Amino acid sequence: DGGITQSPKYLFRKEGQNVTLSCEQNLNHDAMYWYRQDPGQGLRLIYYSQIVNDFQKGDIAEGYSVSREKKESFPLTVTSAQKNPTAFYLCASSVGATSYEQYFGPGTRLTVT
Amino acid sequence: AQKVTQAQTEISVVEKEDVTLDCVYETRDTTYYLFWYKQPPSGELVFLIRRNSFDEQNEISGRYSWNFQKSTSSFNFTITASQVVDSAVYFCALSEAGTASKLTFGTGTRLQVTL
């Protein structure tokens, strides 16, 4: 079955630690995205990548970093510089970068204490 | 700048009632795309529909229908004969042409369908 996997589902970290969230897709999609969702709010774009080895900042990139070394993978690192990292993180992919619909993974709920 | 407004924070209906979720958008582009997503309690967003700005035809898919009106910048979503399984948070989103499919989401409407 084609789809997007994110692991783990729940993640707990101590303040000051960097943490990497995994996102893998086997849909052969070119574009991938990371969103953050806070309670009662919509999704906000963190980073996106249209092709391998290229990515751009979204609306709230501060305190986050990404890499896109393979088409299938787009990991997100939440650094200690992110002031309020506790949130639900969703990864998505789309066929291309021309306003195609995005398909989402199951998400990772990160709690930092 | 683009913006999506979903003024209804939460709606509660009894099963079999019809319900309409409102979505109003703002954009300066003439070419844009509108989307609806469903987020059940599991958290994963499920794609429901994509509509481009040049296609104002209403769409019906089973119990779901969408009404796109450019004159009022609205893209409303109606569920006919609602069911308990329709309980979820529904998001409307907008993407402008040439923006690498970057989506701007509304804040969502939580729909609760009870027996």
Side-chain angles (χ1 to χ4, degrees):
Chain A
D1 282 336
I4 301 173
T5 56
Q6 290 185 246
S7 60
K9 179 74 173 172
Y10 299 93
L11 194 53
F12 298 88
R13 281 294 183 270
K14 294 290 187 187
E15 199 173 314
Q17 294 178 335
N18 291 355
V19 58
T20 297
L21 280 58
S22 164
C23 177
E24 305 277 332
Q25 55 99 358
N26 60 5
L27 300 167
N28 200 33
H29 285 175
D30 285 323
M32 297 186 73
Y33 310 80
W34 273 105
Y35 293 89
R36 169 185 172 133
Q37 185 179 23
D38 293 286
Q41 296 190 32
L43 281 69
R44 292 182 290 168
L45 181 65
I46 304 172
Y47 267 98
Y48 65 101
S49 168
Q50 296 174 257
I51 55 172
V52 174
N53 292 322
D54 185 56
F55 48 83
Q56 286 79 40
K57 293 181 180 179
D59 301 319
I60 55 166
E62 187 175 345
Y64 300 98
S65 66
V66 293
S67 62
R68 185 87 186 277
E69 297 175 2
K70 297 187 299 181
K71 187 175 184 178
E72 306 78 30
S73 178
F74 191 41
L76 172 74
T77 297
V78 184
T79 75
S80 55
Q82 167 51 231
K83 292 185 177 131
N84 188 16
T86 295
F88 187 50
Y89 291 88
L90 285 152
C91 178
S93 69
S94 66
V95 169
T98 315
S99 298
Y100 290 96
E101 57 269 23
Q102 295 178 21
Y103 293 91
F104 285 79
T108 292
R109 192 168 298 279
L110 173 65
T111 302
V112 177
T113 57
Chain B
Q2 56 191 39
K3 184 180 177 184
V4 176
T5 300
Q6 294 180 257
Q8 303 153 308
T9 304
E10 191 159 344
I11 301 175
S12 291
V13 299
V14 177
E15 202 175 41
K16 296 187 182 145
E17 283 185 13
D18 299 346
V19 58
T20 295
L21 309 181
D22 297 333
C23 173
V24 174
Y25 62 91
E26 295 175 29
T27 178
R28 287 179 286 191
D29 273 18
T30 54
T31 303
Y32 52 89
Y33 301 84
L34 295 163
F35 304 80
W36 275 95
Y37 284 87
K38 174 182 179 180
Q39 186 177 39
S42 62
E44 181 172 342
L45 265 74
V46 177
F47 166 74
L48 296 178
I49 189 171
R50 168 182 176 267
R51 173 70 72 207
N52 74 56
S53 54
F54 298 107
D55 183 1
E56 282 195 77
Q57 275 193 323
N58 290 336
E59 173 111 2
I60 298 175
S61 177
R63 296 184 296 107
Y64 295 172
S65 63
W66 291 269
N67 181 262
F68 176 30
Q69 292 196 338
K70 286 177 76 170
S71 61
T72 56
S73 297
S74 65
F75 186 44
N76 296 337
F77 173 31
T78 297
I79 301 175
T80 302
S82 59
Q83 300 176 0
V84 172
V85 293
D86 295 327
S87 297
V89 180
Y90 291 86
F91 290 97
C92 180
L94 166 71
S95 174
E96 291 174 340
T99 60
S101 299
K102 289 168 60 179
L103 292 174
T104 295
F105 283 85
T107 52
T109 297
R110 180 177 299 277
L111 174 64
Q112 186 72 37
V113 182
T114 56
L115 293 171

